Amino acid sequence: MKSCEVNFDGLVGPTHNYGGLSFGNVASQSNSQQHSNPKEAALQGLQKMKALMDMGFVQGVLAPQERPDVAALRNLGFSGTDAQVIQQAAKQAMPLLVASCSASSMWVANAATVSPSADTADGRVHFTAANLNCKYHRSIEHPTTSRVLGAMFADAKHFAHHAALPAVAQFGDEGAANHTRFCREYGEAGVEFFVFGRSAFDSRYPAPQKYPARQTLEASQAVARLHGLKDDGVVYAQQNPAVIDAGVFHNDVIAVGNGEMLFYHEDAFLNTEQMLAELQAKLGKLGGNFQSVCVPRAQVNVEDAVRSYLFNSQLLTRPDGSMLLIVPEECRSNERVWHYLQGLTNSGGLIREVKVFDLKQSMQNGGGPACLRLRVALNETELAAVNPGVIMTAPLYETLTQWVGKHYRDSLRETDLADPQLLLECRTALDELTQILKLGSVYPFQIN
Ligand code: SUG
């Protein structure tokens, strides 16, 4: 049976803003308080989705969340009508209002970890929503994420959903941003590669000194157990703590994998040789031929990698088996990175083409092309069982573009977040969106 990898991209929500909320994420911190353009952000994302669809890839859409999250503010003690909750928070605790307004669910690489049916014990596609508990503004995403994923992948015969891991730092889980899968064909059993930043229970693993390591080994192991993965089909590796301290807050900022290929930076991991040997051996047992491209620090240093998001690219297999890299504009404007990419595509290797996208609105908060997508490998039967409302088509692209044009503002500053009208605008937009994407009721304002 034919299988493919579907990219589900997060649609940017109407409250996209620069809150400076992510300590350890250089872009988020340095663009704090800039004014944002939610309309442009959403359109940039939609254009990437459309372009991939036009190239022949199956593309999906993942809906944004209700913001401000009034229920989260109520949990923190604000009360009264929704408008009063927002106004009280603005007056007494602006950082909490800003956090409750974040459109961060757009970075759906952090929505969940997904294991395709070929890897799992019960032959279903497994999803574990990520608890994202390193950052308050992200930790409030998973309940709605679970409902949205449930509405997209509803058929329990094919899809299994797990709730987020316990919401404590020891099980910090950032979803697919720290997970990659290697395989010969998407429908064949593969090797799932979990990259962690620290261990919560074993002090032998080093930890970064300056910035938090968001993903723990124990969280990755729990996800592998929940998904029913075989030991032979899993490799764990530790991210180099020094690169976390240099701003690499997720592994997908320093490495990307697809098919049998890992594209990574020389400084990305600890014990790299041992890790590569294990990947080679485990994929080899499954009949695969593991390959890797290491980018030497002498050509692209970690700072350039973090600024340009070279590794936060989408590595896609074209019909002839060669690969295409989808990179952000920031790669073209960095001379060393662009020079490296020219050499890479001309070297006769597997990566033959680079396509550049303008995702500046998202990039300024530390979200590149790969952050904006959740990969789900599906066979034909499973693809047919996905809610068809979330699969991108030319008419859906037109509808969503018009929907954004109708509902989104083109400028947002921190002071605008205190406007209760913004909540109403967001709810009106999302109510219409659930009808467009045929999701049913998934938002708190639709349920309560
Ligand atoms: O979690 N930024 C996100 C970026 C997530 C990128 N995802 C991947 N690498 N997969 C984060 O740090 C910034 C929000 C703000 O500052 O307004 C933010 O949440």
Side-chain angles (χ1 to χ4, degrees):
M1 199 185 312
K2 264 186 71 181
S3 292
C4 67
E5 180 183 87
V6 184
N7 284 283
F8 290 88
D9 273 45
L11 189 54
V12 178
T15 60
H16 160 62
N17 73 95
Y18 300 117
L21 298 169
S22 280
F23 177 63
N25 168 344
V26 180
S28 155
Q29 287 183 272
S30 53
N31 291 304
S32 176
Q33 309 295 314
Q34 299 275 348
H35 82 97
S36 63
N37 184 334
K39 186 177 283 181
E40 186 177 63
L43 294 177
Q44 286 175 344
L46 278 167
Q47 278 150 18
K48 171 164 91 75
M49 296 186 224
K50 166 81 161 47
L52 263 70
M53 179 191 78
D54 288 344
M55 284 181 236
F57 298 102
V58 186
Q59 176 69 50
V61 191
L62 222 153
Q65 305 209 350
E66 180 187 342
R67 295 290 180 268
D69 188 334
V70 180
L73 290 171
R74 286 186 192 282
N75 287 341
L76 299 174
F78 301 103
S79 58
T81 61
D82 288 346
Q84 285 166 339
V85 166
I86 291 167
Q87 277 155 356
Q88 269 179 40
K91 222 160 108 195
Q92 296 170 24
M94 196 57 192
L96 298 184
L97 178 63
V98 175
S100 81
C101 287
S102 178
S104 54
S105 69
M106 72 171 90
W107 300 297
V108 294
N110 305 117
T113 306
V114 186
S115 294
S117 56
D119 296 351
T120 63
D122 66 2
R124 295 189 293 168
V125 183
H126 282 245
F127 299 81
T128 296
N131 62 24
L132 300 176
N133 77 345
C134 182
K135 306 283 177 229
Y136 170 69
H137 72 288
R138 304 224 58 184
S139 71
I140 56 179
E141 292 174 22
H142 70 87
T144 298
T145 300
S146 290
R147 281 194 299 275
V148 173
L149 288 174
M152 294 165 68
F153 305 94
D155 188 342
K157 205 165 88 195
H158 298 292
F159 307 119
H161 295 274
H162 305 278
L165 297 178
V168 291
Q170 285 155 318
F171 289 106
D173 179 19
E174 298 283 318
N178 284 56
H179 173 260
T180 302
R181 177 174 183 263
F182 299 103
C183 61
R184 208 162 53 163
E185 298 287 339
Y186 292 119
E188 292 181 9
V191 176
E192 300 204 14
F193 180 50
F194 290 85
V195 181
F196 58 95
R198 69 188 170 96
S199 164
F201 294 96
D202 189 337
S203 57
R204 285 172 303 176
Y205 293 93
Q209 304 295 306
K210 186 174 164 198
Y211 292 142
R214 299 195 195 185
Q215 180 85 29
T216 68
L217 168 63
E218 292 76 7
S220 298
Q221 288 168 331
V223 171
R225 272 190 300 271
L226 285 164
H227 292 195
L229 305 181
K230 294 191 193 77
D231 286 348
D232 265 1
V234 174
V235 171
Y236 298 100
Q238 182 165 9
Q239 216 184 327
N240 179 355
V243 299
I244 298 181
D245 281 339
V248 182
F249 56 98
H250 288 136
N251 180 60
D252 70 2
V253 175
I254 198 85
V256 58
N258 171 49
E260 296 169 301
M261 163 73 73
L262 173 66
F263 178 61
Y264 71 102
H265 189 272
E266 183 178 2
D267 293 324
F269 305 102
L270 289 183
N271 308 317
T272 309
E273 289 311 313
Q274 190 189 318
M275 172 199 96
L276 294 174
E278 194 180 347
L279 285 167
Q280 183 136 40
K282 288 189 169 168
L283 194 60
K285 263 195 190 168
L286 297 168
N289 173 27
F290 177 72
Q291 298 164 55
S292 57
V293 172
C294 173
V295 180
R297 74 177 80 86
Q299 285 186 50
V300 176
N301 63 26
V302 174
E303 198 188 328
D304 282 331
V306 171
R307 273 180 203 276
S308 67
Y309 262 40
L310 165 62
F311 298 93
N312 199 262
S313 46
Q314 286 178 253
L315 189 55
L316 301 167
T317 305
R318 304 193 293 191
D320 68 357
S322 69
M323 290 193 189
L324 160 70
L325 209 53
I326 303 288
V327 302
E329 193 61 62
E330 285 73 2
C331 285
R332 186 153 52 190
S333 40
N334 182 309
E335 219 176 288
R336 285 174 297 275
V337 169
W338 194 240
H339 180 75
Y340 173 81
L341 283 171
Q342 301 306 301
L344 176 71
T345 47
N346 290 328
S347 67
L350 201 55
I351 304 176
R352 305 270 164 78
E353 194 188 353
V354 171
K355 280 206 188 294
V356 181
F357 283 83
D358 179 3
L359 297 164
K360 189 157 185 258
Q361 286 289 326
S362 167
M363 282 289 290
Q364 292 187 147
N365 248 342
C371 301
L372 287 162
R373 60 95 172 94
L374 182 66
R375 298 190 278 188
V376 186
L378 298 165
N379 65 32
E380 278 169 319
T381 317
E382 291 155 356
L383 181 56
V386 176
N387 178 342
V390 299
I391 301 295
M392 186 56 85
T393 59
L396 179 60
Y397 171 75
E398 290 305 325
T399 307
L400 290 174
T401 302
Q402 280 168 21
W403 172 81
V404 169
K406 179 171 154 199
H407 294 286
Y408 281 49
R409 298 190 187 188
D410 55 16
S411 171
L412 210 56
R413 285 180 186 278
E414 191 177 278
T415 44
D416 299 321
L417 305 178
D419 175 7
Q421 185 60 31
L422 185 64
L423 172 69
L424 296 181
E425 285 171 26
C426 184
R427 286 180 175 169
T428 307
L430 294 185
D431 211 29
E432 204 176 304
L433 183 68
T434 49
Q435 292 165 41
I436 296 171
L437 300 180
K438 303 189 173 50
L439 292 173
S441 297
V442 288
Y443 297 115
F445 76 92
Q446 295 174 317
I447 298 168
N448 299 323

